[in-house]
């Protein structure tokens, strides 16, 4: 228990101490909100799809959570290169707890980052369409956390297989970007060409963002229950695979 | 305390550690010497559960590092050849996190951390982020940290690289004091021969993965008919420099360390 806590605390402290990273990581979501939200809003409304900013905000929160958590997971390569990983690898505690603490810490940070984007989105005109939003916000935060957990565990699992930075760009191009663009974060899932519709359905982010939409704007493609079940199952699966890979690390 | 028999480690076809055997007694200070790439760090990694041996057996404080990792990990403290601190944490946090990971964070931990940081003269800097430390300060912190949980055995892989003579001296006197007081077994490597000559009770010399000599400094000098350990070492291992093949990761790290002003 104390191991999980201390590894969690480490990730959180590192995050809070890197102001430039927090701010840097906000640039992209804000750009998406402004460019897409205002740029495509007219088209979206004319196509009879309603308010695009409303639709887009959960997607951009999802993106922010995705990027932050993947980065946090993959950041383990740095620890491996510059040492701290070894310190944890020889400690007389279970590697599962180390990995779990680490992943929970990364997920906390990513959820927090998602919350900041959520709050900022009110500044660009986002409004929640319900009169008593507290419960819905909670449900939204919960979905952010599920996404964060899944992608941090995925990043950590991938980082367990890599020994240097060379794979990092590959992960960005072939895992993170496709996950984002093929998830329905920025476009609606109905009336897609069948191949596209198939691909979006195997993208984990799809269900996270859909759950977020169901919570924050009360309009989603699947149901909240289904989104939750799929995300929870994916988290369990990824934590098991990730911790297995982590336990196999040799330094 | 440490017993190694017929230990082998292969990386692909390359034999980094070639059938070595030795033992280190409880409370002993043991030096493991050898040129670059001889296999010292690889051996230490196998003794400390970080690498699986290709064959052979190891006993650390009565336990096998392959089958009883947990017990073995409880038995030792280690200073790695490469840095292993968290740069984004303060000196105190690095110590405290270590205490938690080693279940040593009970009553008295603050006192212990204070005492150790005082000793390496970092107590005044306890709240400074480690990334702002000099190479020598980082090394001192790592040494203090390795003793924090009262380990029975301490592995020091080139603990004094990058330290000035003052710090090196006080570090060894501290290590000797702990060795006396807590009966800590010390296993260390170094490229400073006069250091080994002064501190080590027994020495093994490894070259190309094989142990080529062992004994006290006196015995090695007598055996090679030389006046000091450095000459004995050169006599035993030859004067040719070693071409060490670094893996991609090592090269990258090496370049990084050189850019930082280098501790190698
Ligand atoms: N993971 C690895 N894969 C392949 N070869 C390796 C690996 N680790 C070490 N080696 C090789 O094994 C040999 C022994 O390396 P080791 O690090 O044990 O040497 P060392 O005695 O500690 O040297 P130094 O004094 O330079 O630290 C070297 O030739 C090294 O290149
Ligand atoms: Mg070495």
């Amino acid at each position: 228990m104390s191991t999980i806590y201390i590894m969690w605390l480490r990730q959180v402290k590192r995050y809070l101490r890197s102001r430039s990273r927090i701010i840097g990581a906000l640039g992209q979501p804000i750009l998406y909100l402004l460019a897409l939200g205002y740029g495509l809003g007219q088209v979206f409304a004319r196509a009879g799809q309603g308010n695009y900013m409303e639709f887009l905000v959960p997607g951009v929160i999802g993106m922010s959570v995705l990027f932050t958590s993947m980065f946090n997971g993959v950041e383990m390569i740095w620890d491996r290169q510059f040492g701290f990983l070894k310190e944890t690898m020889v400690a007389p505690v279970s590697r599962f707890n180390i990995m779990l603490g680490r992943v929970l810490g990364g997920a906390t940070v990513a959820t927090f980052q998602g919350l900041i984007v959520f709050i900022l989105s009110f500044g660009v005109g986002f409004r929640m369409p319900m009169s008593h939003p507290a419960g819905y916000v909670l449900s939204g935060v919960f979905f952010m956390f599920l996404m964060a957990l899944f992608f941090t565990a995925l990043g950590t699992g991938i980082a367990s297989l890599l020994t240097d930075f060379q794979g990092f760009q590959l992960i960005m191009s072939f895992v993170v970007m496709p996950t984002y663009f093929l998830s329905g974060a920025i476009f609606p899932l109905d009336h897609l060409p069948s191949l596209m519709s198939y691909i979006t359905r195997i993208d984990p982010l799809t269900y996270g963002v859909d759950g977020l939409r169901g919570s924050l704007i009360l309009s989603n493609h699947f149901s909240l229950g289904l989104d939750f079940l799929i995300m929870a199952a994916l988290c369990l699966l990824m934590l098991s695979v990730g911790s297995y890979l982590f336990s196999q690390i040799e330094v | 305390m440490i017993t190694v028999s017929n230990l082998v480690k292969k990386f692909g076809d390359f034999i980094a550690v070639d059938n070595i055997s030795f033992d280190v007694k409880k409370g002993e200070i043991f030096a493991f010497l050898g040129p670059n790439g001889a296999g010292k760090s690889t051996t230490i990694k196998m003794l400390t559960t970080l690498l699986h041996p290709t064959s052979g057996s190891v006993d650390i404080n009565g336990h096998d590092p392959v089958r009883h990792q947990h017990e073995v990990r409880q038995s030792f403290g280690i200073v790695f050849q490469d840095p292993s601190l968290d740069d984004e944490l303060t000196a105190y946090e690095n110590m405290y996190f270590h205490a938690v990971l080693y279940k040593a964070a009970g009553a008295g931990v603050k006192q212990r951390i204070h005492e150790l940081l005082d000793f390496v003269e970092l107590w005044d800097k306890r709240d400074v982020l480690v990334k702002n430390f000099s190479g020598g300060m980082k090394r001192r912190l790592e040494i203090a940290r390795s003793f924090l949980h009262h380990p029975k055995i301490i592995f020091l892989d080139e603990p004094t690289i990058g330290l000035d003579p003052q710090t090196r001296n006080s570090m060894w006197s501290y290590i000797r004091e702990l060795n006396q007081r807590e009966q800590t077994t010390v296993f260390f490597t170094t490229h400073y021969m006069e250091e080994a000559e002064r501190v080590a009770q027994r020495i093994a010399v490894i070259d190309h993965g094989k142990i080529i000599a062992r004994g006290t400094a006196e015995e090695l000098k007598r055996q090679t008919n030389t006046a000091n350990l450095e000459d004995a070492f050169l006599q035993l291992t030859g004067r040719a420099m070693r071409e060490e093949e670094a893996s991609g990761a090592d090269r990258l790290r090496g370049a990084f360390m050189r850019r930082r002003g280098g501790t190698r």
Side-chain angles (χ1 to χ4, degrees), chain A residues 251, chain B residues 9-12 14-17 32-45 51 81 157-158 189-191 206 209 243-247 250 264:
Chain A
V251 182
Chain B
K9 180 68 191 181
K10 291 185 191 166
F11 295 111
F14 178 73
I15 306 176
V17 173
F32 199 47
L33 306 180
N36 289 139
K40 303 181 295 295
S41 298
T42 305
T43 304
I44 290 184
K45 283 178 189 166
L51 273 181
Q81 181 169 349
D157 198 352
E158 300 187 31
T189 76
T190 183
H191 289 300
I206 180 172
E243 297 226 353
E244 196 183 356
E245 268 189 50
S247 61
D250 278 344
R264 282 207 222 208

Side-chain angles (χ1 to χ4, degrees), chain A residues 52 54-60 130 183-189 206 208-221 224 227:
Chain A
Y52 188 49
E54 224 176 57
F55 176 85
L56 184 64
V57 163
V60 170
M130 55 284 262
S183 68
I186 49 178
F187 51 78
L189 292 174
T206 300
V209 168
D210 197 62
L212 209 49
R213 282 205 180 105
S215 311
L216 299 184
I217 61 169
L218 298 180
S219 134
N220 54 349
H221 190 82
L224 275 185
D227 291 332

Side-chain angles (χ1 to χ4, degrees), chain A residues 72-201:
Chain A
N72 247 288
V74 173
E75 196 191 27
M76 201 175 73
I77 304 174
W78 269 256
D79 282 352
R80 191 176 198 148
Q81 285 289 328
F82 302 124
F84 187 73
L85 188 67
K86 275 185 299 218
E87 154 80 358
T88 54
M89 296 283 91
V90 293
V93 288
S94 95
R95 285 200 181 176
F96 178 73
N97 286 354
I98 291 180
M99 140 98 187
L100 190 61
R102 220 192 155 89
V103 169
L104 286 174
T108 305
V109 163
T111 307
F112 192 72
Q113 196 80 17
L115 261 176
I116 299 180
V117 174
F118 174 57
I119 292 164
L120 289 179
S121 70
F122 287 92
V124 294
F126 175 71
R127 294 291 174 267
M128 289 177 70
M130 55 284 262
S131 43
H132 298 291
Y136 300 99
V137 170
L138 271 184
S139 154
V141 171
F142 184 63
F143 272 101
M144 289 181 214
F145 185 71
L146 285 177
M147 281 188 275
L149 201 56
F150 175 80
F151 288 111
T152 315
L154 175 64
T156 309
I158 295 176
S160 305
L161 299 171
L162 300 175
T163 50
D164 56 37
F165 307 119
Q166 275 146 28
F168 189 68
Q169 200 53 44
L170 286 177
I171 299 170
M172 285 309 288
S173 312
F174 291 102
V175 181
V176 179
M177 289 321 240
T179 302
Y180 172 50
F181 282 110
L182 301 175
S183 68
I186 49 178
F187 51 78
L189 292 174
D190 13 59
H191 314 303
L192 288 176
S194 63
L195 175 67
M196 193 62 182
S197 155
Y198 185 71
I199 294 175
T200 49
R201 274 170 177 70

Side-chain angles (χ1 to χ4, degrees), chain A residues 2-3 6-7 9-10 13-14 17 80-84 86-95 98 163-166 249-251, chain B residues 45 48 50-52 70 73-74 76 78 80 82-86 88-90 93 97-98 100-103 129 145 249 252-253 256:
Chain A
S2 56
T3 309
I6 209 77
M7 292 307 293
L9 187 64
R10 167 180 188 255
K13 282 194 167 186
R14 282 174 73 93
R17 277 172 195 170
R80 191 176 198 148
Q81 285 289 328
F82 302 124
F84 187 73
K86 275 185 299 218
E87 154 80 358
T88 54
M89 296 283 91
V90 293
V93 288
S94 95
R95 285 200 181 176
I98 291 180
T163 50
D164 56 37
F165 307 119
Q166 275 146 28
I249 294 180
E250 289 195 336
V251 182
Chain B
K45 283 178 189 166
T48 55
L50 281 173
L51 273 181
H52 284 299
H70 196 78
R73 285 174 186 159
Q74 274 173 332
F76 69 82
I78 183 167
F80 296 99
D82 306 318
S84 66
L85 297 165
D86 187 333
E88 299 283 339
L89 298 179
T90 66
E93 285 168 345
F97 277 36
H98 181 89
V100 173
L101 287 179
Y102 282 80
K103 309 266 181 292
L129 291 184
R145 186 180 65 178
L252 207 137
R253 188 162 46 219
F256 180 80

Side-chain angles (χ1 to χ4, degrees), chain A residues 11-51:
Chain A
Q11 296 303 114
V12 172
K13 282 194 167 186
R14 282 174 73 93
Y15 169 75
L16 293 176
R17 277 172 195 170
S18 57
R19 299 263 153 69
S20 59
R21 223 171 80 195
I22 304 180
I23 295 165
L26 289 175
Q28 213 160 7
I30 291 172
L31 187 66
Y32 271 97
L33 285 178
L34 293 178
L36 294 181
Y38 290 132
L40 293 178
Q42 292 301 319
V43 185
F44 199 75
R46 235 176 290 148
Q49 296 276 6
N51 182 339

